Amino acid sequence: MPYQQGSAALGVLLVTASLLAPVAPGAAAPELDAMVASIAGQLRQSWNTDPGTARLPWPAIEVLPAGQTPQSACPGAGTATNAAVGVQSPALVCAASGKLLLDRTRLEKAASRHGEWGLAYWVGTGLGTAILSHQGASRRSPAVANLQANCLAGVLIGATGLQPGPQDPPKPDQLVAPANGAYGTAMAEQMGTRSQRSYALLTGLGMTELAGCSDEAMAQLARDQVPDPALLSALATGTDRAAFNTMAVMNRRCRRLPNSPCPRRVPSFTGQK
């Protein structure tokens, strides 16, 4: 599907408002602010039309200056409480300001590796975390919370025209590559495993047999208890194994499951603030 521009006129978006053509994987991203503004404009349309987020305030989004990390720019982000919600993430919702802070250096690397799809992933997961921040107290583990943010990113992205740019030769892991490489294996306890994050993103996009992004569904995923374990296993094998073949998944459209419309919707959470 060709690239579709969204509205970049975001009064609260603290990035450049001009729109540029998407950056292909492997290219430099000198105009990162404009790319983020374009992607955020499309995701904001998803946010505004989804019943689960339409009444929630859209967070201000700030791409930080080079060399500044979200953790250093957010008062209190180094505390134990914030450490559990992704202290090493390039996309951090700062509780003190309510802003979604983005790490410029790490987003430039994501754009170089994955094109605008890499940026869409990180902005989307940041927005997923913002959605979760509007809930009441939750007992979900850090891993479940991060998987849920990945799933919610898939929901928001799935309602836009955003998708990976064409590659020659095609790479079967292209759709899930940003989620797979988001964190190292040592971070699995906090952020979920590579295959779980990839599966969560696909779930939000409507491409798995798991119906949605609810607390229960993501807790099941964190235990590797999913209705299509073969897919989860394939996602775990990595790009260098012949068994890793998600091309069939990439060619799917949103799967219609009971009580799960296409595109997927943000679930109704209990105990919202």
Side-chain angles (χ1 to χ4, degrees), residues 109-204:
K109 291 180 180 179
S112 178
R113 293 172 180 169
H114 310 296
E116 72 169 2
W117 186 248
L119 298 182
Y121 169 77
W122 280 117
V123 177
T125 53
L127 292 173
T129 302
I131 294 170
L132 297 178
S133 72
H134 287 284
Q135 298 178 45
S138 173
R139 296 182 179 179
R140 70 174 68 84
S141 69
V144 170
N146 190 55
L147 293 177
Q148 201 162 30
N150 276 257
C151 189
L152 293 170
V155 171
L156 295 175
I157 293 170
T160 72
L162 293 164
Q163 56 181 292
Q167 292 189 2
D168 187 17
K171 296 182 178 180
D173 66 332
Q174 187 180 359
L175 198 66
V176 298
N180 183 283
Y183 302 98
T185 303
M187 295 295 294
E189 185 174 349
Q190 280 190 304
M191 300 302 180
T193 66
R194 296 176 185 273
S195 56
Q196 288 169 353
R197 294 192 304 269
S198 298
Y199 187 99
L201 179 64
L202 291 176
T203 296

Side-chain angles (χ1 to χ4, degrees), residues 194-233:
R194 296 176 185 273
S195 56
Q196 288 169 353
R197 294 192 304 269
S198 298
Y199 187 99
L201 179 64
L202 291 176
T203 296
L205 292 169
M207 296 179 178
T208 74
E209 297 290 344
L210 199 59
C213 307
S214 67
D215 289 354
E216 181 181 0
M218 294 298 101
Q220 291 175 356
L221 173 57
R223 299 191 297 268
D224 287 340
Q225 296 175 351
V226 296
D228 44 358
L231 173 59
L232 186 63
S233 178

Side-chain angles (χ1 to χ4, degrees), residues 36 39-40 43 61 91 100 102 107 118-128:
V36 171
I39 290 166
L43 293 175
I61 299 175
L100 172 54
L102 301 175
L107 259 65
L119 298 182
Y121 169 77
W122 280 117
V123 177
T125 53
L127 292 173

